[in-house]
Amino acid sequence: MNTAEQVQKATKHNFGAGPGILPKEVFEEASQAVLNFNNSGLSILEIGHRTKLFQPVMDEAVALAKELMNLDADHEVLFLQGGASTQFYQVPMNLLDEKAVASFTDTGVWATKAIKEAKLFGGVEVVCSSKESNYTYIPKKFDVNPASVYLHLTSNNTIFGTQWQDFTPFYEKNLPLVADMSSDILSRQMDFNKFDLIYAGAQKNIGAAGVTMVVVNKNILGKVSRKLPTMVDYRNHIENGSMLNTPPVFAVYVCMLTLRWLKSKGGVAAIEKENDRKAQLFYDTLDSFPIFKGTTAKEDRSKMNACFVMEDPALEKEFAAICEQEGMVGVKGHRSVGGFRVSMYNALPYESVVALTDVMRNFAISKG
Ligand SMILES: *Cc1c(COP(=O)(O)O)cnc(C)c1O
């Protein structure tokens, strides 16, 4: 890279939905570890996973996750492969017998995929859905069959830009809770112990692609009657400390660095404040200029992924071109919503939101 390119790289603002932005410190440390890991004379990419070099990485990643989420002794932290999409079937295989029923909330594309996979293994009841409005809001009230073996939710809907703000409707049901938290894990305070199984592809908020964090209450395991393949049974992963086979060594390392960074920032409470500040600036700007139109119900707006369109769709191309020119990366909306999507994950600096909202303001005024 020549100097001019370096400077250009430095001025990019990454609003991509995933794999998403990570802290600059993490990029620097991870790149150093590729060359010489902890002064071992070896690259992180060439060390055995069952060595004195790697075991502390896995141990620290698990310990940091437990600490940051304030987990009790029943909750185990796993680092698995296959992405959140593998959890769509691994969860029902472990928890849902063929004759039993699980309940699902349908708040978007990812929830729909989780539902589809669960149906392969047992009974599924969809207890609420906002599909009829193209998932622009979060359903507030729903009833659940009390015989359900678990109740599933997607805490943040990455594609549609909605987020569950209040988990009371779930807590009230007194059922084992399963949550896909891929796109907002560790972005806000919540009582993680109230969930019996949490899964999250790391590449949105806590690390590099290639690893999935799973938090599971071990008491809910071992109750289904089907025979489970070794790699599917969570109990085997717990027993083997996420090293039943070769773990994604580098991806786990990047997760560990990101969790360390989060702790150094003051943990989840501190990052939540920062995320609130970013979301507030973004949405305030969005709402001040009628040229932009948010696509979701205001009370359900996601602080991680904000979706909007232009009042006049003919302007979208021009706005997209200006964003590109100004170094705003990854702002194009998902094809099922159109328009724009701005992801503001933990590592996105406040200054990036300032830069983007400046572009929005200038554009609106120029058209005013
Ligand atoms: C991105 C995403 C997924 C899919 O994750 P993979 O790791 O690519 O399988 C699932 N659920 C949610 C909420 C997501 O944002």
Side-chain angles (χ1 to χ4, degrees):
M1 229 190 269
N2 63 37
T3 318
E5 280 167 339
Q6 295 259 15
V7 169
Q8 204 197 14
K9 164 117 184 53
T11 57
K12 293 276 194 232
H13 299 283
N14 186 1
F15 298 95
I21 186 171
L22 291 173
K24 198 163 134 278
E25 297 91 315
V26 170
F27 291 140
E28 282 163 3
E29 264 194 85
S31 59
Q32 178 54 41
V34 169
L35 299 172
N36 183 2
F37 174 61
N38 277 358
N39 277 323
S40 62
L42 295 167
S43 166
I44 182 83
L45 302 177
E46 62 177 338
I47 58 171
H49 54 292
R50 300 187 200 282
T51 60
K52 278 192 197 133
L53 284 169
F54 183 68
Q55 187 65 52
V57 173
M58 181 62 91
D59 293 346
E60 188 176 342
V62 170
L64 282 166
K66 284 185 176 166
E67 183 184 342
L68 289 163
M69 301 174 94
N70 225 336
L71 296 175
D72 62 29
D74 288 333
H75 285 75
E76 301 278 354
V77 174
L78 300 173
F79 288 97
L80 307 181
Q81 300 192 60
S85 301
T86 292
Q87 296 308 307
F88 294 161
Y89 69 80
Q90 192 165 359
V91 169
M93 285 182 84
N94 276 272
L95 303 182
L96 178 61
D97 257 325
E98 207 177 323
K99 296 246 158 55
V101 57
S103 289
F104 283 73
T105 49
D106 174 24
T107 53
V109 168
W110 297 115
T112 308
K113 292 188 193 224
I115 291 165
K116 175 171 175 252
E117 297 300 287
K119 281 181 178 166
L120 297 170
F121 300 99
V124 166
E125 289 179 12
V126 176
V127 297
C128 60
S129 173
S130 47
K131 186 175 184 187
E132 86 290 344
S133 78
N134 199 31
Y135 300 111
T136 54
Y137 69 97
I138 293 286
K140 301 294 177 308
K141 280 212 176 93
F142 53 88
D143 293 316
V144 178
N145 177 348
S148 307
V149 291
Y150 64 89
L151 172 58
H152 181 279
L153 67 131
T154 312
S155 55
N156 181 68
N157 299 285
T158 326
I159 291 175
F160 296 96
T162 61
Q163 190 171 29
W164 287 96
Q165 311 295 351
D166 177 15
F167 294 102
T168 327
F170 294 100
Y171 300 156
E172 280 171 350
K173 305 295 185 286
N174 282 317
L175 287 168
L177 278 183
V178 176
D180 176 357
M181 295 195 187
S182 292
S183 51
D184 69 349
I185 184 104
L186 292 171
S187 72
R188 53 174 168 161
Q189 288 184 286
M190 55 173 91
D191 189 349
F192 293 101
N193 290 312
K194 283 218 154 72
F195 295 82
D196 295 276
L197 199 149
I198 296 167
Y199 58 94
Q203 69 274 14
K204 307 254 166 66
N205 220 10
I206 50 167
V211 71
T212 311
M213 189 162 89
V214 174
V215 176
V216 59
N217 177 349
K218 56 190 175 210
N219 301 319
I220 64 168
L221 300 175
K223 295 183 179 165
V224 284
S225 52
R226 77 172 55 83
K227 288 204 173 83
L228 295 172
T230 308
M231 287 294 286
V232 169
D233 192 333
Y234 292 119
R235 291 174 301 174
N236 296 329
H237 291 286
I238 293 172
E239 209 167 294
N240 289 274
S242 297
M243 293 216 226
L244 196 47
N245 69 330
T246 314
V249 168
F250 186 66
V252 173
Y253 178 66
V254 174
C255 252
M256 188 277 278
L257 292 177
T258 310
L259 297 175
R260 255 191 205 168
W261 169 85
L262 182 53
K263 185 180 169 183
S264 77
K265 284 281 201 185
V268 180
I271 209 74
E272 178 175 24
K273 271 198 192 135
E274 194 60 12
N275 289 335
D276 285 351
R277 204 158 78 93
K278 290 185 286 181
Q280 173 135 28
L281 172 61
F282 177 80
Y283 285 118
D284 280 352
T285 309
L286 185 77
D287 292 337
S288 337
F289 301 104
I291 191 172
F292 304 113
K293 223 171 60 179
T295 54
T296 71
K298 277 193 186 174
E299 74 270 20
D300 301 324
R301 282 172 164 177
S302 165
K303 288 174 180 157
M304 293 283 101
N305 315 94
C307 297
F308 66 98
V309 294
M310 295 283 184
E311 187 63 45
D312 174 5
L315 292 177
E316 287 185 356
K317 233 176 136 178
E318 190 184 341
F319 183 69
I322 293 175
C323 284
E324 187 172 352
Q325 183 191 313
E326 297 295 326
M328 308 292 148
V329 178
V331 296
K332 193 177 185 309
H334 188 272
R335 61 188 181 280
S336 48
V337 180
F340 301 88
R341 171 176 51 174
V342 169
S343 300
M344 297 176 281
Y345 295 128
N346 283 356
L348 183 83
Y350 183 75
E351 293 68 40
S352 287
V353 183
V354 171
L356 175 66
T357 50
D358 283 348
V359 169
M360 291 168 72
R361 187 174 305 107
N362 291 337
F363 185 75
I365 292 168
S366 78
K367 299 294 167 189

